[in-house]
Every structure is written in structure tokens, then in C-alpha cells.
Amino acid sequence: MSHELKQNMISGGMWAAGGRLVAIVAAFVLNLVLARSLTPGDYGVYFVVMSTMIILATVATLGMDRIVVRFVAAYKGVGDWTGVRAVVKRCLMTVVAATALLCLIFYFLTPWFFTHVVKMPAAIGLSGLMVLLLFVSTVQRQLAETFRGLNDIRGATLFGGFRNNGILISLITCGTLLILWASGAMTLAAAFATTVCSSLLVVIVAAWTLQRRLRTAVQPLPAAPSSGNWTTGRVLHEGWPLWLASLLGVLRLQVNGWFAAGFDSSENVALFAIADRFVLLMTAPLTIVNMLLPPVVAELYARGENKRMERIVQAVGGLASLPCIVILLLIVLIGRPVLGTLFGVHYEAAYPILVILSVGQIANIVTGSWQVVLPMTGLRRQTLHVTMWAGAVQILACTIGGYVAGVVGVALGSCVGSLTGNVLGLAAARRHLGIWTFISLRRAVLTDAVTLLSKRIAGFMPMRARDA
């Protein structure tokens, strides 16, 4: 591996981890502001609408966000900028057309959906803002992933949306909502309008930056291979398997909001929302550290060093699990008063839901980084199978649980789905790679993790110093 490629991987990993950290902090502040300034019913509506937007935005991309990363990177690697432009243009046009059509359908189905499916008629009056948010957020994601395909992780992180840890959208939205809260002007409509305007601003800047970069790019290799005929049919054919896997993954994470709203009141949905968002803090250290693992896993697998890969994955997981375990203990011991102090007395009732969801996250922590290992070793089909089975179990469990016990039952169903998915993922890594990905807290293994991460950060610092 060349020195330049290693530096790009390290730099990209640091930008991605930084973006994730900013997104986590901003999301926590955002939910704190909304819970404090909106009624529980309105906050429940906000949670369900945002979950719906994330699901629909994934539907609208049709897998183009994955295709643009794969083929733009390939064409750029051989110097074929004609191919790069062709892929970018066709994928973006496909996303814009699909999103426009989905927005039109969703606008007319909004009254039925929020009356009969999730039972939140208060959201119907926000249909115009929801359609605008769906359109701009989907285009924003596509533009951000285009930068990722160009190996510009900094651009992808700066211009990304909430789902892909965008720094600008997080800071702009969070800062504006803090001002609205301080001035007493916060309403549910104002929260959505702020998000729409922030996303639109990022889209404008990202589109201008991308256009400028593609226009000024030169063709360094006269004998670059042909870019082929990138028709809409071709990109759809290439993208649908990746789209299906991405959609199933997003549904597993976001569909709980639909179940909660379908089986309980808006006020209780707000309790589920706070618990769901708060428990993300528990796995934040593991999520951030995992941002640095993909290139390491891919490189070691290519060398055939599976045992070393196993040791590093266990080490990194063990190191990241330590703060996760501390956070879990704090949730169990003082979770109820913390919820009341941060979000208001009403949200103390979210404590049982928080504990249940935390149990589900224990499996995510203990089983380690199989979510990184499987796709980075070419086991994409196995990843899809794990996601499908876990999703099916989660949907069944949430349906039964929601019918019997409302939002508490939905939390139990989510916990069952998490346990199922992580056990299946751990087993898949063992069966196909012969390794265990579960964490290790042995001193020697943790020392390996510290050494690895120190080298990654140390390798990044000189490059940044030279750039300065």
C-alpha cells in the first residue's frame, strides 16, 4: 500500500470519526432542546416524522448513493474523469427524478398514513414541510456520497446529512434551534422549517463545490478505459441489491418509531424517542472507533492474516467497550433522575424503556465489530441474510409487544431484534472466516488496541502539520 493511500485512509478515518462525534453531540443537544421546548405530543410527532424521512430518503436513492461511491472511485483510480462525470450525472438525475415522484406520492398519502398507520393526525398540517425536507435531504445525501466516491472524506463529512454524520447540517440546525429556544420562538413547524433551510443551504454549497471540482479536473491518462454507456437502466440494475440491503438496515433502526406511534399515544411515543436517542450515547465510543477499522480489516484480510485481524478487532472492541460499560452502569443507577433533570419531569417515565433498550445494546457491544468485518471481507450476501433475519424477528416481536404493552413492548421487540442480529452476525464471522469478533478485556489485547489507534493518530498528525 502506497504512503499516499495510507495517509488518505488515516485522514479519511479521522474526518469520519470527527463527523460522527459532532453528529452525536449535536443530536443530543438537539433532542434536549426539542424535549424542553415542545410538548411531549409534539416531540413524539417530531421523532416519528424524522424516522419516516430517513426511511423514505433511503427508498428514494434507489441505491445510487452506493453506486456513485463504487464506480466514481473506480474511474477516478484509472484517471477516467469522463467516466466519473457520466456516473455522477446519471446517478444524480436518477435520484432527483425518483425523489420528486416519491414526494408527490407521499404528499397525497400523508393524511392516510398519519391517520391510520401511525395515528398522528397533528403531522398532517406539516405535509408541505415534510415533502421539502424529503427532497433536499435525499439530494444532500447523494451529493455527500459523491464526494466519498472521489475519496474526499472531508467533503463527504462536511456536506453529509443527519444520517451520514454531516458536520455542517448538525452545527447549523443545532445552533439555529438553540437561538429559537432562547428567544421563546420554538414550535414544531419552526423545527422542521429550520431543518429544511439548513439542508437546502448545505445542498447549494455542496453542489457548487462538486461542480467546480468536476469542471476543473483534467484527464491525466490519454488511454483511459471507456466509461461505457451509463443509462438509467444500467444504474438501476447495478444499484438494486445494494439499495435493498441499505433499506433493510435503515428499517431495522428506524421502523420502531412507526410501531410505537401505531400502538400508543404521542406522549408515550415521546418517552420512547428520548430513551432511543439517549441510549445511542452508550455505543458512541464503539461507533467512533469502528470508523477507523474498515481499511485495517480489508488490508489484513487481503494478506490472509485472519488471526491477526481477529486479535485487532477484539482489541479495538474491548477498548471501546470500557466507556460503554461505564455509561450503562450510570444509566441503570441514575438514569431516572438524569432523564428528569435533562429533559423534564415527564421523561422520567422513560426509564424502563431506556433500561430495556440498553440491554439490547449490550449485545451490540459484546459481539464486537462484525458489522465491519463481514462487508470488508466480501461477505455481503451473508450481511444481507443477517439483516433480513434480524429484521423479520424484530418486526414480529415489535408487533406482538406493541399490541400487548405499547411502547414498552416495542422496546422489548427492538431488544429481541438486536440480540438476534448480533448473535447471527457473530456466528457468520465465525463460520465463514474462522474468527470470533466478540470483545476482549485482556490486558495484552487492550495494549494492542492502544498501539494500533496511536499509530493511526500519529500517522495523521504529521500530514495535518504539513498542510498547515
Side-chain angles (χ1 to χ4, degrees):
M1 182 183 296
S2 68
H3 176 73
E4 180 181 1
L5 181 57
K6 288 183 178 179
Q7 292 291 357
N8 287 337
M9 289 168 57
I10 296 170
S11 175
M14 296 300 293
W15 267 102
R20 180 62 178 165
L21 180 61
V22 170
I24 289 172
V25 174
F28 178 77
V29 174
L30 180 65
N31 284 280
L32 176 63
V33 169
L34 292 174
R36 281 289 186 179
S37 56
L38 300 177
T39 65
D42 282 349
Y43 180 70
V45 171
Y46 179 88
F47 170 72
V48 172
V49 169
M50 291 303 294
S51 296
T52 303
M53 293 298 101
I54 293 174
I55 293 172
L56 292 181
T58 305
V59 173
T61 60
L62 298 177
M64 297 303 102
D65 52 338
R66 303 293 186 90
I67 289 300
V68 78
V69 172
R70 175 185 171 187
F71 286 99
V72 164
Y75 284 132
K76 178 178 179 290
V78 296
D80 185 2
W81 283 95
T82 301
V84 169
R85 296 184 185 96
V87 175
V88 170
K89 180 180 178 181
R90 181 57 59 185
C91 288
L92 185 58
M93 290 176 61
T94 303
V95 167
V96 169
T99 306
L101 178 60
L102 184 61
C103 286
L104 182 63
I105 296 173
F106 179 69
Y107 181 80
F108 288 107
L109 291 181
T110 295
W112 170 81
F113 181 79
F114 285 101
T115 301
H116 297 93
V117 178
V118 298
K119 300 176 183 178
M120 285 187 165
I124 297 175
L126 302 169
S127 56
L129 286 173
M130 284 190 284
V131 166
L132 289 174
L133 179 58
L134 174 58
F135 186 84
V136 295
S137 61
T138 305
V139 174
Q140 180 183 356
R141 174 169 177 78
Q142 184 64 25
L143 291 172
E145 293 307 299
T146 303
F147 281 99
R148 196 180 309 279
L150 293 169
N151 200 25
D152 185 358
I153 306 302
R154 178 175 61 179
T157 306
L158 285 174
F159 300 129
F162 287 116
R163 183 185 161 200
N164 47 347
N165 309 314
I167 290 179
L168 290 180
I169 187 72
S170 298
L171 294 179
I172 295 173
T173 304
C174 190
T176 305
L177 291 182
L178 280 171
I179 294 173
L180 290 175
W181 180 33
S183 62
M186 176 70 74
T187 63
L188 185 59
F192 283 115
T194 297
T195 307
V196 171
C197 293
S198 301
S199 185
L200 181 59
L201 177 61
V202 174
V203 164
I204 293 172
V205 176
W208 178 81
T209 305
L210 179 62
Q211 182 186 27
R212 182 182 178 186
R213 177 164 183 179
L214 294 179
R215 187 177 64 245
T216 57
V218 296
Q219 191 87 10
L221 300 177
S226 172
S227 60
N229 184 23
W230 281 96
T231 63
T232 302
R234 182 182 177 187
V235 294
L236 291 176
H237 175 74
E238 294 281 357
W240 79 264
L242 299 173
W243 169 77
L244 180 60
S246 178
L247 180 59
L248 290 174
V250 169
L251 283 172
R252 274 197 62 204
L253 295 175
Q254 302 297 331
V255 79
N256 290 336
W258 287 359
F259 282 107
F263 290 108
D264 220 322
S265 65
S266 298
E267 289 75 15
N268 286 339
V269 172
L271 300 179
F272 183 89
I274 284 295
D276 182 72
R277 294 297 182 250
F278 196 77
V279 80
L280 291 178
L281 293 175
M282 179 179 170
T283 55
L286 183 62
T287 303
I288 292 172
V289 170
N290 278 350
M291 304 293 283
L292 302 175
L293 270 182
V296 178
V297 171
E299 180 177 336
L300 292 178
Y301 178 73
R303 295 178 184 172
E305 300 180 21
N306 283 15
K307 285 301 178 183
R308 186 183 177 197
M309 176 176 64
E310 177 184 48
R311 185 177 177 86
I312 289 176
V313 168
Q314 290 182 346
V316 171
L319 183 65
S321 71
L322 295 178
C324 294
I325 293 172
V326 172
I327 295 173
L328 172 62
L329 292 176
L330 291 176
I331 286 175
V332 173
L333 295 175
I334 60 173
R336 188 183 297 275
V338 168
L339 288 171
T341 301
L342 291 176
F343 304 105
V345 177
H346 173 79
Y347 293 100
E348 289 185 3
Y351 176 70
I353 302 173
L354 180 62
V355 173
I356 293 171
L357 294 177
S358 297
V359 172
Q361 290 302 320
I362 291 176
N364 189 30
I365 295 171
V366 172
T367 54
S369 303
W370 64 267
Q371 300 96 329
V372 175
V373 171
L374 293 185
M376 287 297 105
T377 55
L379 298 176
R380 294 179 179 85
R381 180 179 298 179
Q382 288 73 17
T383 305
L384 179 59
H385 290 167
V386 169
T387 303
M388 291 177 64
W389 279 107
V393 170
Q394 181 173 330
I395 289 174
L396 178 61
C398 284
T399 301
I400 298 173
Y403 181 79
V404 174
V407 293
V408 175
V410 173
L412 286 170
S414 177
C415 180
V416 170
S418 178
L419 289 170
T420 302
N422 283 288
V423 170
L424 290 176
L426 179 70
R430 179 62 180 177
R431 178 182 179 184
H432 295 282
L433 299 172
I435 68 171
W436 292 109
T437 62
F438 54 72
I439 64 173
S440 175
L441 298 177
R442 289 181 296 168
R443 181 176 178 180
V445 176
L446 293 179
T447 301
D448 285 350
V450 172
T451 302
L452 171 69
L453 296 179
S454 298
K455 288 181 178 179
R456 284 282 181 258
I457 297 173
F460 170 74
M461 295 304 294
M463 181 186 66
R464 297 300 297 170
R466 290 194 301 269
D467 291 343

